[in-house]
Every structure is written in C-alpha cells, then in structure tokens.
Amino acid sequence: MRFNVGCEIGYEVNDAATLIFNIEAMRGGRQSILHETLTITPQYEADENTAADTGNRYLRLTAPQGPVQLRYEAVVELDPVHQQPDFIGEVPVAKLPLDTMAYINPSRYCPSDQLARFAGRQFGNIQPGFQRVTEICNWINGEVDYMFGSSDTSTTAADTFSTRAGVCRDFAHLGITFCRALGIPARFVSCYAWQLQPQDFHAVFEAYLGDRWYLFDATRMAALDGMVRIGCGRDAADTAFATIYGNVNSMPIRVWSEAIDGDKNEEWTTDAVSVARV
C-alpha cells in the first residue's frame, strides 16, 4: 500500500544556530520511496548523510537570525512481511547476528539491567518468541496510562515503570527495556503512522525474532501495516526528529500520513500481528 507522509517544521532563530533533522523516510527494508521533496525556506545550504549502520537520514543546516521552515513530503510504498506468530521464536544470544548485539545492552533511556528482576518474574515463564513480546505489549498497554505531559526528554523506562504514565516514546522505551532484560534484541523506531490521532511523529519498537526485526506498538494507537519508518536506534537519543544547537523558539509542527491507494477507509488492526520490514 502507498502512503503520502510528511511534516512541516519551523523555528524562529534568535542567534545563529545549527539544526540537525531526522525526518526523511528510510530507504530499503521493504519500504520504497516513490517520490519525495524537501523544501527549506529560506534556501539555506544543507549537509545530508545516511548512517551506514541504521539507514537513518540526517540533514544539517546552519541558520542565521530569523525564521526557518522545512517541509518534507514523500510517497512511500510499504511491502510488509507477515508470518504466523506461533512459529516466530527467539534466538539464543550465542546465535544472534553480531549486528544485533548493540540492541541487547542497556542504553540511556532503556536501563534493562534495572528492570531485569521484574521482567524475569513477569514474563520469564511465557512461551519465548512473538507471544512473549506480545504479552509485554499487553502489560504495558494495560498498566501504563497514555498521558500527555507526563514525561519529558529526561524520562527513562525506569521512570515510566515507576509512574505508570507516559507517551509513545515511553511505551516504546519500556517495551525495549523488558525485551533486552530477557535477552531479546530490541530497538527504537520513529515513524509516520497512518490512523494515528492526533497526527504526530510516532514511536514504536522492533524486536529481533527468528531471522528478522518485527514491529510492535504497545500504545495500540495506529495500524502496524501503515507505519513508515523514519529512523531506528538504541533509544530516542538516536532518532530525535530535531536536534538544536543554539537559541531558537519552536513554531507549531504539522505531521501527516494518508493512504493514497486501496480503501482509504479500511480499518487495519492495531493489535499484535506479525509485521516485519527488514
């Protein structure tokens, strides 16, 4: 299915500032960009780079005092892989691909060592594999309140576990943390999400099971089949849509994701299904 996705971001720069963005859809991984445009107003020069290890696409520009706006829009075709969940198992650490090892250790927002005892007690006896990660999402969805303003950029998964409240990035961090505590590689994914209301940048996570990465969303707020991946990393620190070095004031952000073929009114499930993009 094809989607039109994009965003408009603006800042009032008070002094010269350097801005780094990660807003462009990823290439590859069963995700094809058919068309895209990026407009910077005023027309400042920008450096672009695609990270070799993740595929994240970064844009860096330096803006003088005054307003600066970015508009990104893309038509993206998704071709997800679906498997029977009962046959998707976990991979022993001794047999994991070496490039997944960075996603099994604790990280800044995902202190899996701190929550290992709880994860073992709560999820240790569940059938290993897709079902166990699904139960992790079920627990988060049932025990953590989705609450705007309940967290900030310093909130870790341990904080969310304590307060039992957060937003999508906190739900993703907690899912990643529980997975890693059980020896399952897991990574943070930022995305444009079809059917998300209200529209915004969304955060989910991927767990490495069987022979590939599978998408999970503990918020259950958007269709897994309709998520256009922007970036992935150990946690949100690796995938921020904007990193600012300088004194700026943010303007309102607009984000969109629209189906442009098939049945636009189709309601795809937000429950646990085996969706893979890599």
Side-chain angles (χ1 to χ4, degrees), residues 184-195:
I184 305 170
R187 65 188 184 186
F188 189 93
V189 177
S190 61
C191 60
Y192 294 104
W194 181 47
Q195 297 184 338

Side-chain angles (χ1 to χ4, degrees), residues 87-99:
F87 298 100
I88 303 172
E90 295 176 18
V91 182
V93 174
K95 295 184 178 181
L96 283 170
L98 290 177
D99 60 2

Side-chain angles (χ1 to χ4, degrees), residues 48 91 124 150 163 169 174 186 241 254:
E48 297 185 63
V91 182
S150 60
T163 62
R169 62 173 264 157
L174 194 53
F241 73 86
R254 188 167 80 91

Side-chain angles (χ1 to χ4, degrees), residues 147-266:
M147 187 180 302
F148 291 106
S150 60
S151 62
D152 56 30
T153 56
S154 67
T155 302
T156 69
D159 298 326
T160 303
F161 178 75
S162 177
T163 62
R164 301 295 171 95
V167 293
C168 61
R169 62 173 264 157
D170 306 305
F171 279 54
H173 282 155
L174 194 53
I176 291 167
T177 300
F178 287 151
C179 284
R180 292 179 184 173
L182 297 167
I184 305 170
R187 65 188 184 186
F188 189 93
V189 177
S190 61
C191 60
Y192 294 104
W194 181 47
Q195 297 184 338
L196 181 69
Q197 295 296 332
Q199 274 289 308
D200 201 347
F201 293 110
H202 194 43
V204 296
F205 73 96
E206 291 177 323
Y208 190 86
L209 302 166
D211 62 350
R212 64 183 71 235
W213 294 96
Y214 286 89
L215 279 168
F216 292 88
D217 182 6
T219 72
R220 306 277 164 76
M221 294 175 66
L224 289 172
D225 264 331
M227 293 185 181
V228 174
R229 299 161 79 246
I230 301 172
C232 68
R234 293 164 299 174
D235 53 35
D238 294 337
T239 60
F241 73 86
T243 304
I244 309 299
Y245 295 90
N247 183 8
V248 306
N249 295 326
S250 300
M251 299 179 185
I253 296 173
R254 188 167 80 91
V255 178
W256 63 88
S257 178
E258 303 165 340
I260 58 175
D261 61 2
D263 184 355
K264 295 184 180 181
N265 296 317
E266 183 179 3

